[in-house]
PDB file of all heavy atoms in Angstrom:
ATOM      1  N   ALA A  24      85.105 160.636 128.804  1.00 95.00           N
ATOM      2  CA  ALA A  24      84.728 162.002 128.463  1.00 95.00           C
ATOM      3  C   ALA A  24      84.148 162.825 129.602  1.00 95.00           C
ATOM      4  O   ALA A  24      84.311 163.953 129.715  1.00 95.00           O
ATOM      5  CB  ALA A  24      83.776 161.997 127.193  1.00 95.00           C
ATOM      6  N   ALA A  25      83.500 162.101 130.495  1.00 95.00           N
ATOM      7  CA  ALA A  25      82.827 162.685 131.575  1.00 95.00           C
ATOM      8  C   ALA A  25      83.927 163.347 132.617  1.00 95.00           C
ATOM      9  O   ALA A  25      83.775 164.287 133.180  1.00 95.00           O
ATOM     10  CB  ALA A  25      82.044 161.739 132.379  1.00 95.00           C
ATOM     11  N   ILE A  26      85.105 162.647 132.573  1.00 95.00           N
ATOM     12  CA  ILE A  26      86.190 163.144 133.484  1.00 95.00           C
ATOM     13  C   ILE A  26      86.777 164.480 132.926  1.00 95.00           C
ATOM     14  O   ILE A  26      87.320 165.212 133.722  1.00 95.00           O
ATOM     15  CB  ILE A  26      87.210 162.068 133.619  1.00 95.00           C
ATOM     16  CG1 ILE A  26      86.693 160.803 134.241  1.00 95.00           C
ATOM     17  CG2 ILE A  26      88.467 162.533 134.378  1.00 95.00           C
ATOM     18  CD1 ILE A  26      87.614 159.622 134.281  1.00 95.00           C
ATOM     19  N   ILE A  27      86.626 164.691 131.665  1.00 95.00           N
ATOM     20  CA  ILE A  27      87.186 165.943 131.126  1.00 95.00           C
ATOM     21  C   ILE A  27      86.653 167.163 131.811  1.00 95.00           C
ATOM     22  O   ILE A  27      87.265 168.227 131.938  1.00 95.00           O
ATOM     23  CB  ILE A  27      86.930 166.019 129.575  1.00 95.00           C
ATOM     24  CG1 ILE A  27      87.704 164.918 128.905  1.00 95.00           C
ATOM     25  CG2 ILE A  27      87.294 167.352 128.992  1.00 95.00           C
ATOM     26  CD1 ILE A  27      87.330 164.695 127.431  1.00 95.00           C
ATOM     27  N   PHE A  28      85.312 167.094 132.286  1.00 95.00           N
ATOM     28  CA  PHE A  28      84.666 168.307 132.799  1.00 95.00           C
ATOM     29  C   PHE A  28      84.811 168.423 134.230  1.00 95.00           C
ATOM     30  O   PHE A  28      84.209 169.292 134.911  1.00 95.00           O
ATOM     31  CB  PHE A  28      83.180 168.139 132.469  1.00 95.00           C
ATOM     32  CG  PHE A  28      82.926 168.115 130.985  1.00 95.00           C
ATOM     33  CD1 PHE A  28      82.541 166.913 130.391  1.00 95.00           C
ATOM     34  CD2 PHE A  28      83.198 169.213 130.181  1.00 95.00           C
ATOM     35  CE1 PHE A  28      82.374 166.865 129.053  1.00 95.00           C
ATOM     36  CE2 PHE A  28      82.970 169.160 128.791  1.00 95.00           C
ATOM     37  CZ  PHE A  28      82.634 167.986 128.198  1.00 95.00           C
ATOM     38  N   VAL A  29      85.749 167.667 134.875  1.00 94.00           N
ATOM     39  CA  VAL A  29      86.048 167.812 136.339  1.00 94.00           C
ATOM     40  C   VAL A  29      86.901 169.085 136.539  1.00 94.00           C
ATOM     41  O   VAL A  29      87.646 169.475 135.684  1.00 94.00           O
ATOM     42  CB  VAL A  29      86.775 166.598 136.864  1.00 94.00           C
ATOM     43  CG1 VAL A  29      87.274 166.743 138.287  1.00 94.00           C
ATOM     44  CG2 VAL A  29      85.883 165.387 136.690  1.00 94.00           C
ATOM     45  N   SER A  30      86.848 169.746 137.644  1.00 94.00           N
ATOM     46  CA  SER A  30      87.498 170.959 137.843  1.00 94.00           C
ATOM     47  C   SER A  30      88.944 170.720 138.245  1.00 94.00           C
ATOM     48  O   SER A  30      89.758 171.766 138.138  1.00 94.00           O
ATOM     49  CB  SER A  30      86.789 171.861 139.020  1.00 94.00           C
ATOM     50  OG  SER A  30      86.840 171.032 140.261  1.00 94.00           O
ATOM     51  N   PHE A  31      89.343 169.521 138.601  1.00 94.00           N
ATOM     52  CA  PHE A  31      90.714 169.271 138.929  1.00 94.00           C
ATOM     53  C   PHE A  31      91.503 169.096 137.642  1.00 94.00           C
ATOM     54  O   PHE A  31      91.263 168.253 136.852  1.00 94.00           O
ATOM     55  CB  PHE A  31      90.854 167.915 139.781  1.00 94.00           C
ATOM     56  CG  PHE A  31      92.147 167.668 140.368  1.00 94.00           C
ATOM     57  CD1 PHE A  31      92.768 168.564 141.239  1.00 94.00           C
ATOM     58  CD2 PHE A  31      92.812 166.512 140.074  1.00 94.00           C
ATOM     59  CE1 PHE A  31      93.985 168.331 141.767  1.00 94.00           C
ATOM     60  CE2 PHE A  31      94.059 166.120 140.595  1.00 94.00           C
ATOM     61  CZ  PHE A  31      94.650 167.127 141.437  1.00 94.00           C
ATOM     62  N   PRO A  32      92.506 169.968 137.306  1.00 95.00           N
ATOM     63  CA  PRO A  32      93.166 170.047 135.971  1.00 95.00           C
ATOM     64  C   PRO A  32      93.881 168.757 135.698  1.00 95.00           C
ATOM     65  O   PRO A  32      93.819 168.318 134.501  1.00 95.00           O
ATOM     66  CB  PRO A  32      94.199 171.257 136.120  1.00 95.00           C
ATOM     67  CG  PRO A  32      93.720 171.973 137.313  1.00 95.00           C
ATOM     68  CD  PRO A  32      93.035 171.045 138.188  1.00 95.00           C
ATOM     69  N   VAL A  33      94.515 168.062 136.602  1.00 96.00           N
ATOM     70  CA  VAL A  33      95.276 166.914 136.253  1.00 96.00           C
ATOM     71  C   VAL A  33      94.334 165.746 135.863  1.00 96.00           C
ATOM     72  O   VAL A  33      94.571 165.064 134.850  1.00 96.00           O
ATOM     73  CB  VAL A  33      96.108 166.469 137.532  1.00 96.00           C
ATOM     74  CG1 VAL A  33      96.843 165.072 137.240  1.00 96.00           C
ATOM     75  CG2 VAL A  33      97.151 167.528 137.823  1.00 96.00           C
ATOM     76  N   LEU A  34      93.178 165.681 136.521  1.00 96.00           N
ATOM     77  CA  LEU A  34      92.260 164.651 136.167  1.00 96.00           C
ATOM     78  C   LEU A  34      91.521 164.926 134.885  1.00 96.00           C
ATOM     79  O   LEU A  34      91.252 164.071 134.051  1.00 96.00           O
ATOM     80  CB  LEU A  34      91.155 164.512 137.288  1.00 96.00           C
ATOM     81  CG  LEU A  34      90.260 163.335 137.305  1.00 96.00           C
ATOM     82  CD1 LEU A  34      91.144 162.011 137.347  1.00 96.00           C
ATOM     83  CD2 LEU A  34      89.356 163.344 138.583  1.00 96.00           C
ATOM     84  N   SER A  35      91.280 166.149 134.653  1.00 96.00           N
ATOM     85  CA  SER A  35      90.727 166.655 133.381  1.00 96.00           C
ATOM     86  C   SER A  35      91.676 166.236 132.140  1.00 96.00           C
ATOM     87  O   SER A  35      91.172 165.788 131.172  1.00 96.00           O
ATOM     88  CB  SER A  35      90.423 168.128 133.435  1.00 96.00           C
ATOM     89  OG  SER A  35      89.908 168.539 132.225  1.00 96.00           O
TER      90      SER A  35
END
Side-chain angles (χ1 to χ4, degrees):
I26 297 176
I27 295 173
F28 302 106
V29 174
S30 62
F31 190 59
V33 174
L34 194 56
S35 178

